[in-house]
């Protein structure tokens, strides 16, 4: 069982610098040696010792994964950026291929540049925001927040959310995004601050819907009250859900603090 643990350590440290991997293997090996010696000195049977080692290994898997992410963050950044570029290129191939088979899709150079900037920029923001993230809740919160913002920008730019396409009332959503960006800057990516920033973003989204209803935008032929409340309500839920995930992530060690500790 000790040999199995040693193989696991070699596996999750295989892409790290050799001195760091050896130091980790040495620490785990010394701890196992002490554990086995201690149990044997108290007359514990070999099977029971093996089961205890297995239990420790299984319970320590999340900590091992967190340790690896913390030490591999800088080395994995170039690969993450390459993946963002690849995914962006593949997504842009979809409208390009559609243009070859139908005249209903007619993108120009500006459309491709804009779409590439939105998708690639969102992916880049995710990579940079989560490069030091130590828990899954924080990474999920960032993904939900960025995806929601991306879809909101796409809806406003492509078809409009309030009234007809090009309605000036859609400019209010710029204020929603500004609240999120300002909140992120003030939070400096700390999980607890990000939770408050996303709550403020959700409230700003709800405020836009309320203003649109008061202004009578739901009386337009293309926008019903149900559509206005439902669509904006969806984004309110998404931003609020991101805030909850950030709050959950704040229960552990926030990424910014962890970076400072390193």
């Amino acid at each position: 069982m000790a040999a199995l643990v040693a193989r696991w350590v070699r596996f999750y440290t295989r892409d790290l610098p050799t001195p760091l991997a050896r130091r980790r293997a040495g620490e785990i090996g010394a701890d196992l040696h002490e554990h086995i010696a201690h149990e044997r000195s108290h007359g514990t049977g070999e099977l029971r010792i093996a089961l205890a080692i297995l239990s420790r290994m299984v319970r320590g898997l999340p900590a091992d994964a967190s340790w690896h992410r913390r030490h591999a963050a800088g080395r994995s950044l170039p690969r993450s950026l390459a993946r963002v570029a690849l995914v962006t290129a593949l997504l842009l191939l979809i409208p390009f291929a559609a243009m070859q088979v139908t005249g209903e899709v007619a993108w120009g150079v500006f459309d491709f540049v804009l779409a590439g900037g939105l998708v690639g920029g969102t992916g880049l923001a995710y990579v940079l925001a989560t490069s030091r993230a130590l828990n899954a809740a924080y990474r999920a919160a960032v993904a939900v927040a960025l995806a929601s913002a991306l879809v909101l920008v796409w809806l406003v730019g492509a078809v409009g959310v309030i009234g007809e396409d090009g309605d000036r009332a859609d400019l209010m959503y710029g204020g929603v995004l500004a609240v999120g960006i300002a909140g992120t800057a003030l939070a400096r990516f700390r999980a607890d601050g990000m939770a408050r920033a996303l709550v403020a973003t959700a409230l700003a989204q709800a405020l836009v819907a309320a203003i649109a209803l008061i202004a009578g935008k739901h009386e337009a032929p293309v926008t019903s009250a149900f559509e206005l409340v439902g669509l904006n309500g969806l984004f309110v839920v998404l931003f609020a859900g991101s805030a909850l995930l950030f709050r959950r992530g704040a229960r552990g060690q926030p990424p910014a603090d962890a970076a400072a500790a390193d």
Side-chain angles (χ1 to χ4, degrees), residues 66-172:
S66 177
W67 181 92
H68 179 271
R69 283 196 300 269
R70 186 167 64 252
H71 290 86
R75 294 173 60 86
S76 63
L77 183 59
R79 287 183 292 178
S80 297
L81 296 179
R83 285 195 291 268
V84 169
L86 178 61
V87 171
T88 301
L90 291 175
L91 289 176
L92 291 179
L93 281 177
I94 297 176
F96 179 78
M99 290 174 59
Q100 313 308 312
V101 297
T102 176
E104 296 183 4
V105 179
W107 281 32
V109 174
F110 177 77
D111 298 309
F112 280 101
V113 171
L114 180 61
L118 287 175
V119 175
T122 301
L124 177 62
Y126 175 81
V127 169
L128 296 178
T130 61
S131 61
R132 303 293 293 181
L134 302 182
N135 58 69
Y138 185 95
R139 295 194 299 276
V142 173
V144 172
L146 288 176
S148 301
L150 175 62
V151 174
L152 180 60
V153 171
W154 178 80
L155 284 175
V156 171
V159 296
V161 178
I162 301 175
E164 299 180 355
D165 184 15
D167 195 311
R168 294 177 64 86
D170 278 332
L171 295 177
M172 289 190 293

Side-chain angles (χ1 to χ4, degrees), residues 182-240:
T184 299
L186 291 174
R188 291 186 295 178
F189 294 103
R190 291 192 298 266
D192 53 351
M194 292 297 294
R196 291 190 291 269
L198 267 296
V199 168
T201 306
L203 292 175
Q205 184 82 33
L207 180 61
V208 168
I211 293 175
L213 288 172
I214 294 173
K217 291 295 182 178
H218 61 287
E219 298 175 356
V222 296
T223 305
S224 66
F226 177 79
E227 292 171 339
L228 190 61
V229 172
L231 188 55
N232 283 279
L234 173 62
F235 284 103
V236 169
V237 170
L238 288 172
F239 288 132

Side-chain angles (χ1 to χ4, degrees), residues 234-252:
L234 173 62
F235 284 103
V236 169
V237 170
L238 288 172
F239 288 132
S242 178
L244 290 175
L245 288 169
F246 274 121
R247 180 165 296 179
R248 182 176 179 181
R251 295 173 185 171

